[in-house]
Amino acid sequence: MHLGLKETCVRFSSSSSYSAKAGQVLHLDNAGAGIRRGHRAIVAASSPTEDAVIATEPLTKEDLVAYLASGCKSKEKWRIGTEHEKFGFEFGTLRPMKYEQIAELLNGIAERFDWGKVMEGDYIIGLKQGKQSISLEPGGQFELSGAPLETLHQTCAEVNSHLYQVKAVAEEMGIGFVGIGFQPKWGLKDIPVMPKGRYEIMRNYMPKVGSLGLDMMFRTCTVQVNLDFSSEADMIRKFRAGLALQPIATALFANSPFTEGKPNGYLSKRSHIWTDTDNNRAGMLPFVFDGSFGFEQYVDYALDVPMYFVYHKKKYIDCAGMSFRDFLAGKLPCLPGELPTLNDWENHLTTIFPEVRLKRYLEMRGADGGPWRRLCALPAFWVGLLYDEVSLQNVLDMTADWTAEERLMLRNKVMLALIHVPKTGLKTPFRDGLLRHVAEDVLKLAKDGLERRGYKESGFLNEVAEVVRTGVTPAEKLLEMYHEKWGQSVDPVFEELLY
């Protein structure tokens, strides 16, 4: 069955059965309740969304497809959403922030800069202000999910404003933040666990499906950009271009060469961790390059990705390993007889972790966390490539004959550092040359795409232009400092990459 969405942007009339169900999406339980301090709200919610509406009729697979298709937007409505994570640490000891310190920090930011608090039970677990939110990853990694913005100038201003606010409160507490892809100094046992119900379920499940899932949860940081599409056909083209080039982004932004105080053999340890976290929900998704790919095929994939949880009556119900297909049929063992809502579907989509992820927009997920200039460079890279029709077509032409094996090889090789000579990254051999030569062409396409947009944004690529010009990734620079200037200590990295 194909739902005929390929060329058109899907629109739903108010009489469609989807519209009634769509009304359930994005209701936060008690949103806006408990208003204090003028107009600031305390939002009692911990999952991305919780049901406030009872489904009047069972969801069908068509509804799930339509949910993704409802993300289609005309080009003038395309926006840029940037998310980045960072590690907080105590200046004196370099130890990770404890939850109590994070709570103090969140409360301080809320009160000083007018953010609404997001609570789970008695715990503050995030902040919200307009379309921006601050949330906590499992080990206390501090994440900004930025608002959907029109230009990269706005994106960079948002990043700067966020870092200013965080720093203003954190410095008084003796806390700093470091921009790196993997915790460089501390072991798993040293990382505090955040009081969020969903993380407890994931923490118990991860060791059953891979050897590195707990490292992913507690010791990695990423920066990602979320981008729009105009139609199913446009989504497919951007998904394919994004997946094919994700290894190049991984190499350009590689910034995680240390584990527990020593070089770990990788330029991007964070990227390596995804190769054995849970291969049912991560990776390069070869089916995206099949002729039949579209919204429906992604739904089929997501229906078969094992669940983690259902957020139900303000509680996380452990459904780890169970099937959303069974949930659709009312046969979910953890909630027998219950049927899912679109909120449950939206929550499930957030537990899938491929290199490019589809929601009602596309997420580019291949880059390590890094210092603030690179937080502006990543969206610039992808916007130049995917939001300009000429550059996008050139990428598709360039990568059209890359095989699934080549894409996988690139992903697996760019993260490596060769022993003693940490020079894989952009020096990875590819076809008749090096990956660096492909990166040169790709960077030119990104720059040309930004110039055609007409917002004078191409300067944001300077940070990665230097990486391409020299062929030296950020991780290799860190390794060089470790072996020379730092006398084989990782401690100086906290100052080097301090925000």
Side-chain angles (χ1 to χ4, degrees):
M1 178 187 76
H2 185 68
L3 298 174
L5 303 169
K6 278 274 190 265
E7 292 301 336
T8 55
C9 183
V10 177
R11 308 208 182 280
F12 299 99
S13 71
S14 57
S15 61
S16 75
S17 66
Y18 176 75
S19 292
K21 291 164 181 164
Q24 303 164 14
V25 177
L26 299 175
H27 283 277
L28 293 171
D29 178 57
N30 294 331
I35 291 177
R36 297 200 318 212
R37 292 184 164 274
H39 60 272
R40 204 156 51 238
I42 292 186
V43 183
S46 52
S47 67
T49 54
E50 189 198 355
D51 244 281
V53 178
I54 304 302
T56 50
E57 54 189 285
L59 283 180
T60 63
K61 182 175 143 184
E62 286 77 7
D63 293 321
L64 306 184
V65 173
Y67 171 83
L68 294 179
S70 71
C72 293
K73 292 181 177 67
S74 55
K75 186 165 184 175
E76 66 274 10
K77 292 185 178 157
W78 290 356
R79 295 292 180 266
I80 307 158
T82 306
E83 302 182 24
H84 78 270
E85 302 162 359
K86 51 210 165 291
F87 293 108
F89 66 96
E90 297 174 350
F91 281 135
T93 64
L94 304 182
R95 294 190 75 83
M97 278 196 303
K98 302 178 191 73
Y99 172 72
E100 294 70 24
Q101 292 167 309
I102 290 170
E104 184 184 339
L105 177 61
L106 288 170
N107 281 313
I109 294 170
E111 278 151 34
R112 203 175 300 185
F113 298 106
D114 218 33
W115 289 69
K117 299 177 184 181
V118 181
M119 308 295 291
E120 181 170 332
D122 296 332
Y123 295 104
I124 183 168
I125 55 153
L127 301 173
K128 206 156 180 39
Q129 186 182 78
K131 293 186 175 176
Q132 296 183 74
S133 62
I134 293 172
S135 58
L136 302 179
E137 292 299 299
Q141 304 97 313
F142 212 71
E143 178 175 12
L144 174 73
S145 296
L149 300 170
E150 208 168 334
T151 72
L152 292 162
H153 301 288
Q154 293 167 356
T155 294
C156 214
E158 176 188 67
V159 166
N160 286 339
S161 166
H162 167 73
L163 293 175
Y164 165 77
Q165 292 182 11
V166 170
K167 206 170 170 179
V169 180
E171 277 189 344
E172 292 171 7
M173 299 168 53
I175 298 290
F177 283 89
V178 62
I180 195 167
F182 189 80
Q183 166 55 253
K185 185 174 174 71
W186 302 101
L188 271 174
K189 67 181 187 319
D190 303 303
I191 311 291
V193 181
M194 296 301 104
K196 292 176 73 169
R198 64 186 286 170
Y199 295 154
E200 187 59 29
I201 292 166
M202 290 170 66
R203 190 170 151 210
N204 293 333
Y205 181 67
M206 283 295 185
K208 299 172 186 170
V209 289
S211 66
L212 300 174
L214 297 179
D215 280 327
M216 179 280 289
M217 289 178 65
F218 294 101
R219 296 205 285 178
T220 63
C221 278
T222 186
V223 53
Q224 68 179 52
V225 60
N226 305 329
L227 299 173
D228 289 313
F229 44 80
S230 60
S231 63
E232 185 172 42
D234 187 45
M235 178 279 292
I236 293 165
R237 297 171 79 230
K238 286 172 174 162
F239 208 144
R240 288 175 179 163
L243 268 179
L245 295 186
Q246 213 58 226
I248 288 176
T250 299
L252 290 174
F253 292 85
N255 191 43
S256 46
F258 304 120
T259 300
E260 295 175 30
K262 295 187 173 62
N264 54 31
Y266 294 90
L267 300 178
S268 177
K269 175 75 168 180
R270 183 205 61 83
S271 184
H272 168 67
I273 278 164
W274 281 111
T275 64
D276 195 16
T277 286
D278 180 351
N279 288 330
N280 285 320
R281 67 182 77 243
M284 291 289 279
L285 305 191
F287 65 86
V288 169
F289 297 89
D290 294 347
S292 61
F293 177 67
F295 291 127
E296 187 184 351
Q297 287 69 24
Y298 195 86
V299 167
D300 279 329
Y301 159 71
L303 282 172
D304 290 327
V305 170
M307 294 177 67
Y308 282 150
F309 57 79
V310 175
Y311 191 60
H312 190 73
K313 296 181 181 168
K314 300 191 199 174
K315 284 201 173 63
Y316 284 95
I317 313 293
D318 187 343
C319 303
M322 297 175 196
S323 153
F324 207 96
R325 279 190 199 277
D326 288 345
F327 198 5
L328 268 187
K331 296 176 181 168
L332 196 64
C334 63
L335 281 172
E338 298 269 351
L339 292 169
T341 63
L342 280 170
N343 304 70
D344 294 319
W345 178 237
E346 187 178 50
N347 287 346
H348 179 56
L349 291 176
T350 69
T351 68
I352 301 172
F353 308 121
E355 294 293 283
V356 176
R357 176 162 70 184
L358 176 62
K359 294 182 181 170
R360 288 184 291 183
Y361 45 83
L362 284 165
E363 300 179 352
M364 303 295 128
R365 297 172 44 84
D368 286 358
W372 78 264
R373 282 180 196 283
R374 292 210 284 280
L375 302 182
C376 304
L378 184 80
F381 179 78
W382 287 116
V383 165
L385 292 171
L386 302 186
Y387 272 7
D388 176 75
E389 188 52 43
V390 177
S391 290
L392 175 57
Q393 188 55 54
N394 279 326
V395 169
L396 292 167
D397 292 345
M398 176 196 296
T399 59
D401 66 344
W402 291 10
T403 65
E405 291 72 29
E406 283 177 317
R407 290 191 297 268
L408 192 61
M409 177 278 292
L410 282 181
R411 181 190 179 218
N412 290 340
K413 280 203 174 169
V414 295
M415 60 187 77
L416 285 168
L418 298 179
I419 304 302
H420 307 308
V421 193
K423 294 187 188 297
T424 302
L426 291 170
K427 300 170 187 75
T428 303
F430 184 67
R431 297 202 166 178
D432 296 332
L434 300 175
L435 192 61
R436 178 179 161 195
H437 304 139
V438 182
E440 283 169 354
D441 295 340
V442 169
L443 189 66
K444 181 167 189 333
L445 293 177
K447 190 166 186 280
D448 292 348
L450 289 178
E451 283 171 0
R452 280 190 289 269
R453 263 168 64 83
Y455 293 115
K456 296 188 164 47
E457 297 166 315
S458 57
F460 291 114
L461 289 172
N462 291 349
E463 188 74 4
V464 283
E466 178 67 7
V467 177
V468 172
R469 189 183 65 76
T470 60
V472 179
T473 63
E476 288 163 79
K477 284 190 170 171
L478 294 178
L479 286 164
E480 187 183 329
M481 286 189 274
Y482 170 86
H483 285 295
E484 294 172 12
K485 190 170 150 192
W486 298 348
Q488 300 196 339
S489 165
V490 296
D491 290 4
V493 82
F494 289 88
E495 191 177 341
E496 180 71 29
L497 297 180
L498 182 70
Y499 283 113

